[in-house]
Amino acid sequence: MNSSNERCMDNFIDWVESRNADEPEFIQAVRDLACDVYASYSERKAWQSAKVLERLSEPDRIISFRVCWEDDRGDIHVNRGWRVQHCGAIGPYKGGIRFHPSVNTSILKFLAFEQTFKSALTGLPIGGGKGGSDFDPRGRSDREIMRFCQAFMNELYRHIGENTDVPAGDINVGRREIGYLFGQYRRLANTFSGALTGKDIEFGGSHVRMEATGYGLIYFLRCMLARRDQDLETQRVAISGSGNVALHAAQKAIDLGARVITLSSSKGVLHHSEGIPGKEINRVIELRMDSTELLEKIRAAAGGDWHEGEKPWQFECDIALPCATQNELDGEDAKALAQNQCLIVAEGANMPCTETAIEIFKDRKILHAPGKASNAGGVALSGLEMAQNASFSRWEQQRLDEKLLEIMQDIHNQCVKHAGEHDGYVDYHRGANIAAFNRVASAVLAQGIG
Ligand code: NDP
Ligand code: 2IT
């Protein structure tokens, strides 16, 4: 990039920072994209004069609401709920709902921003959004979860719909929560439609949706390895988290011959140098329990060591798959991975690596797949669930798994094509940003100023 373009990019980032001063995660996500796309953006005068990048740095709208619910003792609680509808230029707003005490507008804006570009990479007609609440479901009874989901939907239902905005799951929102949310949506809207994805198979859900993010991540990883004439056989894989994404990634990696040497929770990490047995993952994958307890269950049955308060990245591994949450892998962790000769970091979570960590990966030539590419399998399967709902049909498991594989291969190839290859190193991060931005920017430009 020449110095005049660099100045323009710095001005753009200053502008984003000044408008979103107390939203560090959102600024991080915008900067991440801008650094990779700004050079080509500067060359496209039509994009620049229509201020496409500036427009994409502001969500279409943010809905914020009070969620008032009653616990089992009759006490009343007041939480906050949001839906960030970031960009609907390619299709209905699409993206998960997160329930976690850390949820705020910065986190939801970054997730919705990322989602727009991730959805674009799938090639399906879906846009980007994200929602959630600062509600903490830990320790809550099933009835409390139900009442909370219903209270959340009492407001959200006016803003969603199969052609408007189609939420799904994310942290602490899985099959059970989607069931409660969908039930309340159906009652309030008096319509049975595919306004949410991740539903049970009995009421409009799709085969493979639950597995899709984790399986898709491993399909993407397999493409990265194949370019190096390698496969997953005997590779040591460190995974963080032990939720939907982490466990399905672990299951598929083990099926393909890898050794999964870690899983983790917010409390610590389970390390198993021989590899956690696949049958133990299969045994716990459908259980609804606290992550730390689930890991203790695996340890009790299969051995391994529990490291309280630690993260997976200090252990020797060939491949690292951060699958828990944003900024969970920092510069020190990246250095430890580099020192241990880790080859590949592929993101199952959204923005799990800090900016410093990513710089270290590039510097040390560690291949790094960004979440918007490597975890796109979940939203891709959601898109296929929408297609099945719209056509009043259900597709077979095998067909959906093949479709998922095809989509992940296609995303991988888009990344390689747009990144180029320099001395055998593919900058997947840059390739994903450029490929995704090209599609979204073209759609925004074609639809006029608004
Ligand atoms: P789950 O709620 O199923 O699991 C989350 C896991 O991450 C748990 O093991 C949890 O442990 C851990 N975790 C959550 N917050 C933290 C934290 N602050 N520090 C350390 N560990 C934490 O969520 P998912 O598996 O669905 O989501 C995981 C990641 O994948 C998220 O970044 C999400 O946005 C992303 N993602 C999810 C998709 C999906 O379809 N579900 C699709 C694409 C991306 P504990 O319970 O102890 O907090
Ligand atoms: O981050 C994500 O891609 C998700 N949480 C899934 C979104 C979706 O609409 O399936």
Side-chain angles (χ1 to χ4, degrees):
M1 203 163 29
N2 66 35
S3 60
S4 137
N5 286 343
E6 254 173 46
R7 247 193 334 275
C8 291
M9 186 180 85
D10 289 345
N11 289 343
F12 165 72
I13 290 180
D14 287 348
W15 176 77
V16 173
E17 284 177 349
S18 66
R19 292 162 67 82
N20 304 281
D22 52 356
E23 298 185 338
E25 292 86 2
F26 178 63
I27 294 168
Q28 182 183 343
V30 177
R31 188 164 44 220
D32 178 286
L33 181 100
C35 289
D36 281 332
V37 305
Y38 209 88
S40 58
Y41 181 63
S42 330
E43 284 161 15
R44 308 284 279 265
K45 293 299 164 219
W47 288 0
Q48 275 216 325
S49 69
K51 293 259 189 308
V52 169
L53 190 54
E54 287 79 352
R55 286 159 61 195
L56 283 168
S57 305
E58 194 67 39
D60 285 358
R61 79 183 59 76
I62 302 178
I63 298 139
S64 143
F65 49 97
R66 183 189 63 218
V67 187
C68 183
W69 60 282
E70 187 175 1
D71 70 18
D72 288 344
R73 300 187 326 186
D75 290 340
I76 303 301
H77 298 260
V78 181
N79 283 96
R80 285 188 172 155
W82 295 269
R83 185 73 183 165
V84 178
Q85 296 178 333
H86 180 260
C87 178
I90 292 184
Y93 302 108
K94 185 80 200 84
I97 291 179
R98 177 178 290 192
F99 293 161
H100 196 272
S102 63
V103 164
N104 57 33
T105 45
S106 173
I107 288 180
L108 294 179
K109 278 171 68 178
F110 114 66
L111 287 164
F113 180 86
E114 286 290 290
Q115 192 76 50
T116 291
F117 298 100
K118 182 196 308 193
S119 294
L121 284 173
T122 67
L124 299 170
I126 44 180
K130 202 83 181 190
S133 172
D134 57 3
F135 169 65
D136 187 356
R138 199 179 291 252
R140 290 294 172 192
S141 71
D142 187 57
R143 282 293 167 88
E144 288 176 323
I145 299 288
M146 179 189 78
R147 284 197 293 276
F148 180 81
C149 289
Q150 292 177 342
F152 186 82
M153 190 51 83
N154 283 345
E155 174 59 33
L156 187 68
Y157 90 96
R158 327 166 197 280
H159 308 290
I160 65 172
E162 58 184 338
N163 296 316
T164 315
D165 183 351
V166 184
D170 193 77
I171 291 179
N172 291 326
V173 177
R175 198 195 294 264
R176 170 181 60 166
E177 290 73 17
I178 293 293
Y180 292 147
L181 290 163
F182 180 77
Q184 191 69 349
Y185 175 79
R186 184 178 58 72
R187 288 177 207 109
L188 292 168
N190 193 28
T191 180
F192 194 107
S193 71
L196 289 128
T197 58
K199 301 183 290 298
D200 258 19
I201 203 82
E202 286 79 9
F203 48 89
S206 173
H207 288 299
V208 192
R209 173 61 190 88
M210 282 305 142
E211 298 86 351
T213 313
Y215 283 18
L217 173 64
I218 302 301
Y219 294 158
F220 192 96
L221 172 64
R222 211 162 50 160
C223 294
M224 296 172 85
L225 286 163
R227 287 196 86 256
R228 304 164 57 101
D229 294 323
Q230 286 178 308
D231 59 27
L232 269 150
E233 199 65 49
T234 74
Q235 303 275 7
R236 294 163 305 169
V237 182
I239 299 183
S240 65
S242 46
N244 175 284
V245 179
L247 292 178
H248 287 106
Q251 190 178 54
K252 183 55 79 178
I254 294 168
D255 277 356
L256 294 173
R259 278 194 286 153
V260 170
I261 57 156
T262 68
L263 286 170
S264 72
S265 74
S266 49
K267 303 268 167 38
V269 52
L270 173 66
H271 178 241
H272 195 303
S273 50
E274 301 304 311
I276 297 168
K279 71 175 192 319
E280 293 308 323
I281 308 274
N282 298 341
R283 203 162 64 90
V284 299
I285 211 157
E286 289 290 339
L287 299 180
R288 187 177 299 133
M289 63 195 292
D290 174 76
S291 285
T292 310
E293 286 169 24
L294 181 144
L295 293 174
E296 173 49 27
K297 210 174 170 63
I298 296 178
R299 199 201 59 77
D305 306 309
W306 175 252
H307 298 258
E308 184 79 16
E310 289 182 25
K311 299 195 272 184
W313 320 124
Q314 65 194 297
F315 300 102
E316 264 187 47
C317 66
D318 305 302
I319 293 162
L321 305 178
C323 294
T325 195
Q326 64 277 352
N327 290 327
E328 56 165 308
L329 196 164
D330 62 20
E332 290 308 308
D333 299 323
K335 280 185 203 153
L337 288 171
Q339 198 149 17
N340 286 328
Q341 319 280 322
C342 173
L343 297 172
I344 297 180
V345 178
E347 299 181 348
N350 287 306
M351 208 170 77
C353 301
T354 63
E355 289 168 294
T356 314
I358 294 169
E359 274 166 32
I360 292 169
F361 298 149
K362 284 189 187 170
D363 190 50
R364 309 284 177 94
K365 300 276 183 284
I366 295 175
L367 293 177
H368 168 236
K372 61 171 73 73
S374 49
N375 76 32
V379 77
L381 230 300
S382 277
L384 301 180
E385 182 174 330
M386 289 164 70
Q388 291 169 81
N389 292 166
S391 60
F392 216 67
S393 59
R394 181 189 294 167
W395 303 345
E396 295 299 317
Q397 175 141 4
Q398 193 185 339
R399 175 177 175 195
L400 285 155
D401 195 29
E402 283 167 9
K403 198 86 191 114
L404 173 64
L405 177 62
E406 241 173 63
I407 291 174
M408 297 314 295
Q409 285 169 335
D410 178 63
I411 297 175
H412 174 268
N413 295 344
Q414 288 182 63
C415 292
V416 173
K417 179 174 156 206
H418 287 89
E421 189 171 341
H422 306 283
D423 301 331
Y425 182 74
V426 176
D427 186 345
Y428 283 92
H429 189 267
R430 179 179 146 79
N433 277 333
I434 294 176
F437 184 72
N438 284 354
R439 180 161 189 229
V440 178
S442 303
V444 167
L445 184 74
Q447 292 174 35
I449 312 291

